[in-house]
Amino acid sequence: MEFVLRRWKEEDAASIQSYANHEKIAANLRNVFPYPYPPGAAAQYIRSCIEQEGDGQVTRAIAVDGTAVGSIGVFFGSDVYEKSAELGYWLGEPFWNQGIMSEAVVKMCRYVFSKYNIERIFAEPFAGNAASRRVLEKAGFSLEGILKNSIYKNGVLQDSCMYALTRR
């Protein structure tokens, strides 16, 4: 399926509000991404992405036919982690299993490596999130390890995985 990564627009809030309000998406993300997704949360998120662009982060809307259907971002480390950045992403359920996210990850990482002085991009999917792990593997990330009992989500202790892609 055709998609583009583009900068956020305030008018993306309605579609993101709709796609983000999904229990299956929130189940595999940090608690900062709630379910139910409260009214106004998408507009607030988009405003923060626009305001903070290039200042410690690069975020993009994943758009299909002009409509924002997901998000991808790279968040830069600081101090001794200044050459590292964390990748985060989600996609509306109607667009799952179509190769969009793997390609979006590749495009985003290429962009960040070409524009910023970053040597390593990492992601920490929940160990049980096989789809996200496949996305990273298809995009060239390597599994560096399993972090035992590192996540506490919805009353359940879970493992997470450390995946990384380096510039070289």
Side-chain angles (χ1 to χ4, degrees):
M1 177 172 279
E2 300 276 327
F3 73 94
V4 296
L5 297 183
R6 62 163 170 75
R7 291 182 185 261
W8 285 101
K9 301 184 234 176
E10 289 186 12
E11 53 269 26
D12 292 328
S15 66
I16 289 300
Q17 187 72 40
S18 173
Y19 286 115
N21 192 29
H22 197 294
E23 190 172 13
K24 289 181 186 175
I25 294 171
N28 286 303
L29 297 175
R30 293 179 181 168
N31 290 335
V32 71
F33 192 106
Y35 177 80
Y37 203 72
Q44 182 180 358
Y45 172 72
I46 291 166
R47 268 194 307 278
S48 75
C49 289
I50 292 168
E51 291 168 3
Q52 296 176 38
E53 176 65 26
D55 184 24
Q57 69 181 42
V58 175
T59 56
R60 295 290 182 264
I62 301 169
V64 174
D65 296 328
T67 301
V69 300
S71 179
I72 187 166
V74 175
F75 305 88
F76 305 127
S78 60
D79 200 281
V80 297
Y81 301 105
E82 69 181 80
K83 300 290 185 184
S84 293
E86 184 173 10
L87 173 70
Y89 49 83
W90 69 268
L91 187 64
E93 186 178 22
F95 304 93
W96 292 359
N97 299 312
Q98 298 180 45
I100 292 172
M101 193 53 78
S102 293
E103 190 176 339
V105 167
V106 168
K107 287 181 178 184
M108 185 63 130
C109 291
R110 282 185 186 150
Y111 175 78
V112 168
F113 282 139
S114 74
K115 298 288 184 188
Y116 297 92
N117 191 14
I118 295 295
E119 294 296 322
R120 178 177 187 271
I121 299 173
F122 68 93
E124 292 184 73
F126 296 11
N129 188 348
S132 188
R133 294 178 68 179
R134 272 193 312 276
V135 161
L136 294 167
E137 290 164 2
K138 284 173 60 178
F141 280 66
S142 297
L143 176 63
E144 294 183 330
I146 307 290
L147 289 74
K148 297 293 185 184
N149 296 330
S150 58
I151 295 171
Y152 187 69
K153 177 78 177 188
N154 296 330
V156 178
L157 201 55
Q158 303 177 51
D159 298 345
S160 66
C161 300
M162 177 59 75
Y163 280 87
L165 179 70
T166 58
R167 179 184 295 273
R168 290 175 186 66

